[in-house]
Every structure is written in structure tokens, then in C-alpha cells.
Amino acid sequence: MVQTTSRFFDEMARLMNDAAGVAQGVRREAETLIKAQAERILRDMDVVQREEFEAVKEMARLAREENEVLKARLAALEAKVAASGGGPTDATTAVV
């Protein structure tokens, strides 16, 4: 009786281990399918990727910085022209 009970528990333990392995395999397969489906949906929606977004964000930051530098330079040139009494300081006037 003791050996039969022990064998029964051994078989149950093996069955549970096999079931756990199968469940993990099913989980991995489901994750793979869900990820592929999500990527397909995002690709169909034409959503921008993170790398592209970061690149454009950096370009915009650099353009803003350059714009600020040019604005300061223009203001300095206008002030210089105004101080020398050399003419209009209107922004539409070309200063070279």
C-alpha cells in the first residue's frame, strides 16, 4: 500500500510538472502572438516609432536653440545700427 501511494504521488507530481511546462509554452506562444498582432496594428495605424520621434524632437530642440542665437544676433545688429544712427531698425530691412 505504501509503495502504491508513493507511486501515485510520483505520477501526480510528474503530471503536474508536465502541465506546468505546457502552460508556460502556451503562455509564451500567446505572448508572441499578441505582440505580433499589436505590432501589426501599430504599423497599420502608421504610428511613429520611438527612435524617429526622438530624432525629430532633437532636431526641433536644435532649431529652437539656433533660432534664439539668431534672434540675439539680430537684436545686437539692430542695436548697433540704431546706436550709429545709420537708419531704420525695422526687421523687414535687410541687414548684411
Side-chain angles (χ1 to χ4, degrees), residues 4-96:
T4 307
T5 306
S6 177
R7 199 156 136 208
F8 172 75
F9 286 128
D10 288 344
E11 289 295 319
M12 288 300 288
R14 187 177 61 79
L15 181 65
M16 291 298 161
N17 282 336
D18 291 346
V22 169
Q24 286 178 349
V26 169
R27 181 184 57 86
R28 281 192 302 267
E29 185 68 24
E31 285 176 351
T32 302
L33 289 172
I34 290 170
K35 183 177 179 182
Q37 185 72 8
E39 288 174 354
R40 186 187 65 78
I41 289 170
L42 290 174
R43 192 174 47 250
D44 289 347
M45 291 174 60
D46 201 24
V47 175
V48 68
Q49 291 185 356
R50 173 63 112 190
E51 294 82 18
E52 293 172 357
F53 174 78
E54 292 297 331
V56 171
K57 186 176 166 183
E58 180 65 14
M59 287 171 47
R61 184 187 65 78
L62 291 173
R64 279 192 305 273
E65 288 176 1
E66 184 179 2
N67 191 21
E68 291 299 319
V69 168
L70 291 173
K71 188 188 296 184
R73 195 168 152 202
L74 178 61
L77 287 173
E78 287 177 343
K80 184 177 179 182
V81 168
S84 68
T89 59
D90 187 6
T92 59
T93 305
V95 177
V96 180

